[in-house]
Amino acid sequence: MENYLDQKGRVFNVQKFSIHDGPGIRTIIFLKGCFLRCKWCCNPESQSHEIQQMTVGGVTKTVGEDVTVREMIEKILKDRIYYRRSGGGVTLSGGEMLYQPEFSSALLRACKENGISTAVESTACASFDKIEKCLPYIDYYLMDIKHFNSDKHKQFTGQPNELILENARKIAKSDVELIIRVPVIPTFNDTVEEITDIAKFAKTLDGVKELHLLPYHAFGSDKYKGLGRKYLMEDIVAPASEKMEQLKSAVENCGLKCQIGG
Amino acid sequence: MSNGIYTEMIEKSPRIDKLYDALFQAKPEVVADRAVLLTESYKQTEDLPMITRRALAFAHILENIPITIRDNELVVGSTCLKSRSCQLFPEFSFQWILDELDTMGTRSADPFYVSEETKEKIREVCKYWKGKTTSEFATSLMGKETLLAIEHNIFTTGNYFYNGVGHVTVAYGKVLEVGFEGIAKEAAEELVKCKVSDADYVTKSAFLKAVIICCDAACKYAERYSALATEMAQNCNDPIRKQELLTIAQNCKRVPRKGATSFYEACQSFWFVQMLIQTESNGHSVSPGRFDQYMNPYFKADLDKGAITREFGQELVDCLWIKLNDMNKIRDAASAEGFAGYSLFQNLIAGGQDSQGLDATNDMSYMCINATMHVLLPQPSFSVRVWNKSPHEFLIRAAELTRTGVGLPAYYNDEVIIPALVNRGLTLEDARDYNIIGCVEPQKAGKTDGWHDAAFFNMCRPLELVFSNGVDKGVQISKKTGDVAEMSTFEQFYDAYKTQTSYMIELMVNADNAIDVAHAQRCPLPFLSGMIDNCIEKGKSAQEGGAVYNFTGPQGFGVANMADSLYAVKQLVFDQKKITMAELKEALDNNYGYGMDDDKAQQLTVGIMAGLKERGIEITEKLIAEVYNNIKGQNTGKYQHILDLINQVPKFGNDNDDVDSFARDVAYTYTRPLETYKNPRGGVYQAGLYPVSANVPLGKQTGATPDGRLAYTPVADGVSPSAGKDINGPTASANSVSKLDHYIASNGTLFNMKFHPSALKGRAGLESFVSLIRGYFDQKGSHVQFNVVSKETLKDAQANPDKYRGLVVRVAGYSALFTTLSKSLQDDIINRTEQGGF
């Protein structure tokens, strides 16, 4: 690629004025394609890299669009004044930004060259060379660790967790600020023991001080129907707030700061 | 604490809840006391100069009007015996009062009860006023083209035509310092300097004597309260209340005659000034201005002496906030819709910089926020000034107030307003010391007669005149700019719009100047003028040009509709040639096929027939019937393709540079020509871009527009994007609005944003919110206010998503545009709100 600004990628949404995904006012870029197939995923349209049609509320729309880094950075820069005022910036979400490492790396680089703070929401479930490409341009790495038991991890997400845990150790050694996030999914990982296992592991990672617990919600369920898929978590109810508080204490007992919600 | 300033919430006294409850025990009522006393006085003074008559009438009213001290009050002085009732001011206009006397109690907007006895008195009094009012005189001074334009609703000057002007902030601090005795002394000293042989002796001496009469009347009025409080104390069995009444008696004896010696006296003195201005004239938007600046020194002095607690100081401020809601004003039925909500627009502002350019936020600034949180009432219209050095904590506290959903405060940007005022001729020191009048209008207190709300100019109407070649409802009311169908370039079309606008501005100026002269000659205000520089020195009232700064500020609205309309015409008709002008005109005439009621259809038919006749087409019964049925008809879908095309054209409010720079230019079609005119007080015109609530009723008088807006629906409010057209969230919307030239619209711009309380949740929510305001202001926006919406609104948003496409809500771990969410999720959020809390 002659100019990294011409690098193409596939995104399916740009959410401006996002105030709960990383510090300050942020623009979130949702990238298409993911390595995992989490049963509770609230963005099922993000999973396949293919451009799809989705029908929600009687309206069919195309999910996914090919764009250049140049086009994206123009959109991003429109809100730079708000990033500066709030200490915010850009967050790459998905899907999984490592599914399109060339594009993600180029887009993050463009942000940094324009003085914009960056965050990624990633599972880190990819070979480390892909992560390495992006690391120099990332300020906050919000990394999902969903379960410490690899078999159960595979059963609910389609992938084992060894690579994820190994990458977590490597990322922790880099300069980025690593924050561990755990989606709390009833029937999967919502016991004190399971959360404690993850927290204990997180505590061993260099520089990790914080763990966020994200309570399960069913807000994506309409979209499964819209994609002609079956929603497998229909019977699951969101965890009660007492439950979340209990899990939060468990995390704090491991010596980490913990917050509920992103 | 921050920098020695006390920033915390102070607890609310139980007294405030009692006063609050009492406020709403009676229905608003019209009473005739003032009108009767005024008329009595006028009948006895017919051979005297008008300024003298006004002063004597003021004195006669204050000497005889019934007074009361309400239960639990610490600060006293009421314009009526009952809360939220109002007096009448027949010297400005009375015909509408007579006409509407029997419907005032039942009308939809702001009803007022009138007793049969009062009706009788009013009918009697009004007999005297025939031919003597400012409104009748103003009408006689207007040109016939002007009257025609008003009749056809191109603009309305109803506000000052029917009422006093108000829209002023006097030198409150001066009264607190020297009392009315001090002001009278100043007038007396000026009088001594006058020689009987001076050219202006007759008028100047009459004015100065009038000021002295008014000052004296105000002092005596306060003493009536002192006597009443003493009497009530004697009959009071509750020892605590007895002591309170004795203190009130003491206060009212001293102030406002003399300078205040304590914070409590300062509060009482402030209140007499505020209520008496609104007894002399019924102009609204009498704005307390920089209350935190002129009150804080008295509070701090008492605090330092140990003479007051923070709690009692707060209680007094809260009492004033209740009093500001105790006053009321009745307007004619049509105006009541434009200023809906019994509002008096008493704008009170906190924070900002002082005249030296240093941050002036103080303890009282935070106490103003506390008071507004304690009472959660619409008065005062509470505002905050923001600049680059505003304390962060101050904005966070203000954001907390916003989060309550009370719609306050409004935020103003020093960084734009100060240079904008300097550009209008204010000194830098005066500009830095600005406050806001009414809705959004900046000025320097105690030196300005700003005429800030001088007219509503509907920017959509000149475009209708372009399409009709100057004809409205069959009458040629404006210039002929040519047949639109014949226009071959966009520039030609745009020029026609500019021509129609400029012509109507000319007529509006004529109307305002006529009303201006009428006020100067028939209703000069000597009491008010004594508190505005340099009236005493010049020896004339503010109404006659006595103020240091004189402006007239009529406001335009519909910028977004016109930007979108002109942009759509440019794109679809001229650039892409997807539709012809004739097709567009037909679609507009037929309200895009959406039909309309009989009256409107009839009016439009008449208009179209006149146009056809003009072009030499023979008018037959058959043709009339055809056109009428076509217009009236239900949605045939005949013009849907045109509407679809229009909807695809980019709209203002989405951070699209092409449309936004277009909007900037469209705003100039109103703001630039206007600033070339002068008013009779020796000042200039300056534009505002805001509609109060008139965008709804005046939208009802506006046909379909080329932005796809259907006939008789509301026009866009202020400089905000058209409802539901800004679909890229709050930052994009703010970015678009900031691209307008807020400096030139120096009479104020108004930007409304809607948020769900959840978007302001927690400290992080407040921080982001403050950053959004800062970001908008960094880009030189002038004003912003927020509707933090309720679940009712959310339900409405669910039913009518097109109206709410910019609404932000917090979902789970993220915020999103409400209408983009699925039905089930929307329900969830609505239910969550129902459970209350943030």
Side-chain angles (χ1 to χ4, degrees):
Chain A
M1 185 64 51
E2 265 185 35
N3 187 333
Y4 75 100
L5 292 172
D6 295 321
Q7 175 69 49
K8 280 197 163 180
R10 187 167 289 173
V11 304
F12 70 93
N13 192 11
V14 176
Q15 164 96 48
K16 297 215 235 183
F17 193 67
S18 192
I19 53 178
H20 302 285
D21 299 80
I25 295 173
R26 311 193 73 84
T27 296
I28 307 197
I29 316 287
F30 291 90
L31 288 90
K32 197 122 164 62
C34 188
F35 298 108
L36 304 186
R37 290 294 178 268
C38 303
K39 289 181 180 177
W40 61 84
C41 181
C42 66
N43 285 334
E45 76 276 32
S46 73
Q47 292 176 346
S48 164
H49 184 66
E50 298 305 310
I51 292 174
Q52 291 165 291
Q53 301 295 312
M54 180 168 75
T55 309
V56 174
V59 181
T60 302
K61 61 172 188 178
T62 303
V63 182
E65 187 192 355
D66 290 332
V67 294
T68 63
V69 168
R70 195 188 303 279
E71 285 162 353
M72 288 316 295
I73 201 75
E74 257 176 46
K75 267 195 186 182
I76 288 166
L77 286 176
K78 280 182 175 286
D79 280 2
R80 71 185 311 167
I81 220 151
Y82 304 101
Y83 312 144
R84 194 161 66 215
R85 275 297 187 179
S86 65
V90 164
T91 302
L92 298 195
S93 185
E96 167 60 60
M97 63 113 189
L98 296 173
Y99 204 95
Q100 304 182 52
E102 299 297 339
F103 176 66
S104 297
S105 166
L107 184 54
L108 290 164
R109 179 179 160 197
C111 289
K112 293 314 292 177
E113 293 198 353
N114 282 284
I116 293 169
S117 160
T118 56
V120 297
E121 295 178 327
S122 163
T123 63
C125 186
S127 62
F128 190 70
D129 60 310
K130 291 177 180 166
I131 298 172
E132 249 180 334
K133 267 194 183 66
C134 300
L135 277 181
Y137 314 117
I138 298 174
D139 296 315
Y140 301 95
Y141 205 116
L142 307 173
M143 182 180 168
D144 269 23
I145 298 181
K146 302 165 205 292
H147 209 287
F148 197 64
N149 177 312
S150 190
D151 290 342
K152 201 162 182 189
H153 194 277
K154 187 168 182 193
Q155 193 190 336
F156 277 79
T157 71
Q159 295 290 337
N161 70 3
E162 285 81 4
L163 179 60
I164 294 172
L165 300 182
E166 185 195 324
N167 283 338
R169 286 189 200 95
K170 290 181 182 164
I171 295 166
K173 289 198 189 341
S174 74
D175 289 339
V176 305
E177 186 164 341
L178 177 61
I179 294 161
I180 303 301
R181 309 216 297 182
V182 184
V184 177
I185 315 295
T187 71
F188 171 56
N189 66 0
D190 65 335
T191 64
V192 168
E193 294 70 35
E194 285 164 305
I195 295 295
T196 304
D197 285 345
I198 298 172
K200 276 185 182 159
F201 170 74
K203 180 68 188 161
T204 67
L205 298 171
D206 291 345
V208 170
K209 294 186 190 71
E210 260 184 82
L211 187 147
H212 298 172
L213 293 173
L214 313 178
Y216 164 82
H217 60 76
F219 299 154
S221 60
D222 288 7
K223 298 198 242 176
Y224 283 84
K225 210 192 253 172
L227 291 163
R229 289 171 55 180
K230 190 170 160 44
Y231 185 53
L232 299 170
M233 306 291 283
E234 220 134 66
D235 302 331
I236 308 295
V237 224
S241 54
E242 302 84 60
K243 177 86 183 180
M244 292 306 298
E245 287 300 328
Q246 192 190 359
L247 298 177
K248 183 178 177 218
S249 307
V251 173
E252 285 164 350
N253 288 341
C254 299
L256 288 170
K257 253 176 72 181
C258 179
Q259 81 178 45
I260 297 169
Chain B
M1 283 279 184
S2 104
N3 295 332
I5 295 171
Y6 192 81
T7 65
E8 306 295 314
M9 188 61 171
I10 299 168
E11 215 179 316
K12 174 166 67 167
S13 143
R15 180 193 309 275
I16 303 308
D17 287 331
K18 290 182 200 154
L19 288 171
Y20 179 98
D21 291 341
L23 206 49
F24 295 99
Q25 264 163 17
K27 264 194 268 178
E29 183 177 338
V30 166
V31 294
D33 311 311
R34 182 190 177 278
V36 170
L37 292 165
L38 174 86
T39 313
E40 269 175 22
S41 175
Y42 259 65
K43 282 178 179 169
Q44 290 162 17
T45 60
E46 285 186 348
D47 53 349
L48 296 176
M50 187 48 83
I51 195 81
T52 314
R53 299 182 71 190
R54 295 293 301 165
L56 290 173
F58 184 65
H60 185 62
I61 292 166
L62 296 194
E63 206 177 318
N64 297 290
I65 200 164
I67 62 167
T68 182
I69 293 174
R70 306 195 198 290
D71 290 348
N72 298 302
E73 278 191 329
L74 294 180
V75 177
V76 302
S78 300
T79 56
C80 299
L81 291 179
K82 288 184 192 163
S83 288
R84 294 164 71 235
S85 291
C86 76
Q87 300 287 352
L88 292 175
F89 296 73
E91 66 265 46
F92 298 104
S93 61
F94 69 87
Q95 195 55 50
W96 65 271
I97 303 177
L98 287 181
D99 294 345
E100 298 176 15
L101 215 43
D102 289 323
T103 52
M104 277 173 190
T106 51
R107 67 189 199 186
S108 61
D110 298 0
F112 279 84
Y113 170 75
V114 199
S115 73
E116 289 307 317
E117 191 197 340
T118 299
K119 284 183 191 172
E120 206 49 44
K121 285 186 192 167
I122 292 168
R123 288 196 184 100
E124 185 54 36
V125 155
C126 286
K127 286 179 192 161
Y128 174 79
W129 289 101
K130 178 85 189 133
K132 297 188 174 72
T133 62
T134 53
S135 55
E136 289 160 295
F137 189 33
T139 306
S140 79
L141 297 172
M142 288 180 202
K144 71 175 194 306
E145 299 84 359
T146 305
L147 291 167
L148 194 61
I150 293 173
E151 191 189 320
H152 284 259
N153 303 312
I154 308 300
F155 53 84
T156 164
T157 48
N159 196 4
Y160 299 165
F161 181 78
Y162 289 115
N163 306 289
V165 174
H167 289 83
V168 71
T169 300
V170 298
Y172 292 92
K174 185 170 168 184
V175 182
L176 299 186
E177 195 187 329
V178 303
F180 282 118
E181 222 174 49
I183 290 174
K185 188 167 160 247
E186 197 185 317
E189 282 167 6
E190 190 65 32
L191 195 55
V192 170
K193 283 192 244 163
C194 299
K195 290 201 214 101
V196 287
S197 53
D198 288 345
D200 63 351
Y201 179 78
V202 174
T203 50
K204 187 169 181 176
S205 63
F207 170 73
L208 293 172
K209 285 175 191 164
V211 171
I212 295 167
I213 293 170
C214 291
C215 289
D216 187 50
C219 300
K220 286 182 174 149
Y221 178 71
E223 280 156 13
R224 290 179 64 201
Y225 281 91
S226 179
L228 178 61
T230 309
E231 188 192 317
M232 287 169 74
Q234 277 161 7
N235 302 322
C236 183
N237 297 323
D238 173 0
I240 296 173
R241 184 60 183 159
K242 190 185 184 90
Q243 190 48 53
E244 285 173 3
L245 286 163
L246 289 173
T247 309
I248 290 169
Q250 217 173 5
N251 288 343
C252 294
K253 200 162 180 144
R254 183 174 172 86
V255 296
R257 181 179 291 281
K258 296 189 182 300
T261 56
S262 68
F263 181 63
Y264 193 175
E265 282 181 5
C267 288
Q268 182 62 66
S269 190
F270 160 81
W271 180 248
F272 276 124
V273 173
Q274 185 66 10
M275 68 153 292
L276 287 176
I277 292 172
Q278 294 177 79
T279 304
E280 187 187 29
S281 157
N282 69 339
H284 64 72
S285 299
V286 174
S287 300
R290 306 194 76 182
F291 183 88
D292 61 339
Q293 300 305 302
Y294 55 78
M295 294 302 277
N296 197 57
Y298 294 92
F299 178 66
K300 284 298 268 187
D302 278 6
L303 207 59
D304 292 346
K305 278 191 288 193
I308 199 168
T309 61
R310 286 195 190 278
E311 288 69 25
F312 187 59
Q314 185 67 56
E315 188 174 1
L316 288 171
V317 175
D318 292 2
C319 284
L320 286 177
W321 259 233
I322 296 277
K323 289 300 275 179
L324 286 160
N325 288 278
D326 192 294
M327 280 191 294
N328 215 338
K329 160 172 177 162
I330 185 161
R331 302 174 173 87
D332 63 284
S335 302
E337 280 193 49
F339 296 95
Y342 294 110
S343 194
L344 285 176
F345 307 96
Q346 299 167 102
N347 201 307
L348 187 152
I349 199 160
Q353 54 197 286
D354 63 16
S355 59
Q356 305 304 310
L358 300 169
D359 188 70
T361 313
N362 59 34
D363 285 24
M364 192 57 57
S365 318
Y366 290 90
M367 287 166 77
C368 291
I369 294 178
N370 294 343
T372 309
M373 279 196 149
H374 285 164
V375 303
L376 293 179
L377 285 167
Q379 296 296 311
S381 291
F382 181 56
S383 305
V384 296
R385 281 178 51 169
V386 181
W387 70 306
N388 288 343
K389 289 171 87 172
S390 291
H392 185 63
E393 193 55 24
F394 182 59
L395 295 186
I396 290 288
R397 289 291 321 277
E400 275 177 356
L401 176 56
T402 297
R403 186 163 67 182
T404 64
V406 69
L408 301 170
Y411 298 80
Y412 294 88
N413 189 3
D414 281 13
E415 311 290 349
V416 170
I417 292 173
I418 292 169
L421 291 174
V422 169
N423 184 43
R424 294 287 179 223
L426 271 70
T427 64
L428 181 59
E429 287 72 19
D430 283 348
R432 279 172 175 159
D433 196 29
Y434 80 89
N435 66 280
I436 297 295
I437 298 286
C439 295
V440 293
E441 308 96 89
Q443 58 102 58
K444 159 68 185 166
K447 282 190 175 181
T448 310
D449 189 23
W451 266 60
H452 296 286
D453 230 352
F456 294 127
F457 187 92
N458 185 343
M459 293 176 70
C460 302
R461 298 283 282 140
L463 191 66
E464 288 192 89
L465 293 172
V466 172
F467 278 94
S468 68
N469 201 5
V471 173
D472 187 59
K473 300 186 187 78
V475 185
Q476 187 77 42
I477 62 161
S478 187
K479 297 204 166 174
K480 292 187 179 179
T481 39
D483 184 344
V484 269
E486 309 277 302
M487 292 179 184
S488 51
T489 64
F490 176 72
E491 286 64 36
Q492 221 179 334
F493 177 79
Y494 197 11
D495 280 345
Y497 176 67
K498 289 177 185 166
T499 303
Q500 294 289 358
T501 303
S502 296
Y503 178 63
M504 286 302 161
I505 289 173
E506 236 177 277
L507 299 184
M508 177 175 69
V509 167
N510 174 243
D512 267 337
N513 286 351
I515 299 168
D516 209 321
V517 168
H519 279 280
Q521 296 198 9
R522 293 211 163 161
C523 280
L525 305 173
F527 175 66
L528 178 83
S529 301
M531 295 178 276
I532 298 176
D533 290 349
N534 288 331
C535 291
I536 290 179
E537 199 186 311
K538 289 190 196 169
K540 55 183 174 182
S541 70
Q543 294 65 42
E544 297 158 293
V548 174
Y549 301 116
N550 290 284
F551 294 103
T552 302
Q555 64 268 25
F557 64 94
V559 175
N561 299 98
M562 284 305 93
D564 291 346
S565 290
L566 290 163
Y567 193 71
V569 168
K570 184 174 187 298
Q571 293 280 309
L572 297 176
V573 178
F574 293 104
D575 292 356
Q576 300 167 16
K577 301 196 191 322
K578 286 189 174 156
I579 48 175
T580 67
M581 195 61 103
E583 285 166 341
L584 178 61
K585 180 169 162 47
E586 191 187 322
L588 292 172
D589 285 344
N590 292 289
N591 192 21
Y592 296 107
Y594 275 77
M596 57 192 71
D597 63 34
D598 294 352
D599 280 1
K600 290 289 180 194
Q602 239 165 31
Q603 280 176 13
L604 279 179
T605 310
V606 172
I608 291 169
M609 288 304 126
L612 293 176
K613 201 173 162 189
E614 195 100 339
R615 278 190 261 164
I617 295 166
E618 195 196 337
I619 308 298
T620 62
E621 287 293 322
K622 189 173 160 243
L623 184 63
I624 294 174
E626 219 170 86
V627 170
Y628 175 79
N629 289 328
N630 194 15
I631 292 175
K632 193 174 171 295
Q634 295 307 305
N635 187 5
T636 51
K638 191 176 167 192
Y639 305 102
Q640 192 57 44
H641 66 289
I642 294 182
L643 214 44
D644 291 344
L645 283 172
I646 290 170
N647 287 337
Q648 283 162 25
V649 176
K651 299 286 189 291
F652 176 66
N654 297 292
D655 205 1
N656 173 318
D657 283 342
D658 282 351
V659 202
D660 295 345
S661 58
F662 211 77
R664 186 178 174 99
D665 201 59
V666 169
Y668 282 144
T669 63
Y670 178 69
T671 56
R672 290 276 193 218
L674 192 69
E675 64 177 357
T676 62
Y677 294 100
K678 295 193 167 59
N679 66 32
R681 285 166 285 119
V684 295
Y685 276 73
Q686 57 171 349
L689 294 170
Y690 62 96
V692 194
S693 61
N695 61 314
V696 180
L698 299 188
K700 282 185 192 160
Q701 300 162 350
T702 310
T705 39
D707 56 341
R709 180 189 142 278
L710 294 181
Y712 317 123
T713 59
V715 171
D717 74 77
V719 290
S720 316
S722 291
K725 299 293 183 202
D726 51 332
I727 55 173
N728 288 309
T731 53
S733 180
N735 287 351
S736 281
V737 175
S738 76
K739 284 181 234 174
L740 299 173
D741 189 342
H742 294 259
Y743 291 93
I744 186 174
S746 51
N747 198 42
T749 65
L750 187 150
F751 178 30
N752 257 317
M753 293 185 100
K754 292 191 189 77
F755 275 84
H756 188 267
S758 58
L760 278 76
K761 189 178 173 179
R763 179 78 187 195
L766 293 175
E767 293 283 355
S768 299
F769 180 76
V770 167
S771 301
L772 179 72
I773 296 169
R774 293 272 201 193
Y776 174 60
F777 282 179
D778 283 346
Q779 300 178 86
K780 307 307 178 197
S782 168
H783 155 278
V784 61
Q785 63 186 30
F786 299 90
N787 296 318
V788 178
V789 295
S790 62
K791 72 165 191 260
E792 285 73 25
T793 310
L794 292 177
K795 282 181 177 164
D796 194 36
Q798 200 174 37
N800 307 292
D802 287 348
K803 272 165 61 190
Y804 292 94
R805 287 199 282 174
L807 179 63
V808 176
V809 291
R810 175 141 198 249
V811 187
Y814 63 102
S815 288
L817 296 171
F818 180 76
T819 54
T820 63
L821 304 171
S822 67
K823 169 84 167 53
S824 55
L825 180 50
Q826 289 180 347
D827 285 345
D828 183 84
I829 293 169
I830 289 169
N831 291 337
R832 237 185 283 165
T833 319
E834 216 152 27
Q835 289 156 10
F838 302 110

